[in-house]
Amino acid sequence: MADRPEGWEARGKPPTLFRRFEFTRYSETREFLDALAAVTEETGVHPQNINFGTTYVNITLEAAEGEEPGDGEWSLATRINALLPPGN
Amino acid sequence: MADRPEGWEARGKPPTLFRRFEFTRYSETREFLDALAAVTEETGVHPQNINFGTTYVNITLEAAEGEEPGDGEWSLATRINALLPPGN
């Protein structure tokens, strides 16, 4: 796929989509997490796992059980990328 | 220590404090995460790692570098327990 969103990779079998986001300070991490929660609530689609510390957020998206990640997951990944402040 | 907060265990070497919280639905998970963020912002103490999905939150607290978890970490663990709705 030529238009896969930047920074995401497929991992595992069946694959999940994974990306690590890094930030300079906690306030940026917090803003990103809050924006991510708003997307989750709006779409009703929940990442399989979100793992964060002071200056990083790791996100794993999974497809429906037994399926490969499809347009829905890639589209969510693209939308999550768009939450980043310019320059990240 | 007789008064260690319920559900937390020391893990690793040097030990971190760890507890898994489980919820029935995402709205409960979300409320817990929001309350946890408020405590983090008020205290300025950041858990080393928070790992969550739709209905669980795993929290790891670490001591200052090279030290064992002390009163500060146990006290934060107690405070986090107090964020749970009654009955959890």
Side-chain angles (χ1 to χ4, degrees), chain B residues 8-83:
Chain B
W8 290 82
E9 57 178 285
R11 284 189 173 183
K13 219 170 175 22
T16 54
L17 299 189
F18 175 86
R19 185 174 172 183
R20 180 180 179 88
F21 296 88
E22 296 193 347
F23 302 93
T24 307
R25 59 183 68 86
Y26 176 70
S27 59
E28 293 172 357
T29 306
R30 187 75 256 154
E31 277 176 32
F32 180 77
L33 286 167
D34 288 343
L36 182 60
V39 167
T40 297
E41 274 155 48
E42 185 194 321
T43 61
V45 179
H46 296 251
Q48 180 189 57
N49 183 261
I50 296 167
N51 187 308
F52 71 96
T54 311
T55 56
Y56 68 88
V57 180
N58 295 327
I59 304 177
T60 304
L61 307 177
E62 65 176 346
E65 199 171 331
E67 291 182 25
E68 303 275 311
D71 288 350
E73 288 72 38
W74 288 111
S75 157
L76 181 56
T78 300
R79 189 150 177 201
I80 292 171
N81 279 0
L83 304 177

Side-chain angles (χ1 to χ4, degrees), chain A residues 8-18 48 60-63 67 69 74:
Chain A
W8 290 82
E9 57 178 286
R11 285 189 173 182
K13 220 169 177 21
T16 54
L17 299 189
F18 175 85
Q48 181 189 55
T60 304
L61 307 178
E62 64 176 346
E67 292 183 22
W74 288 111

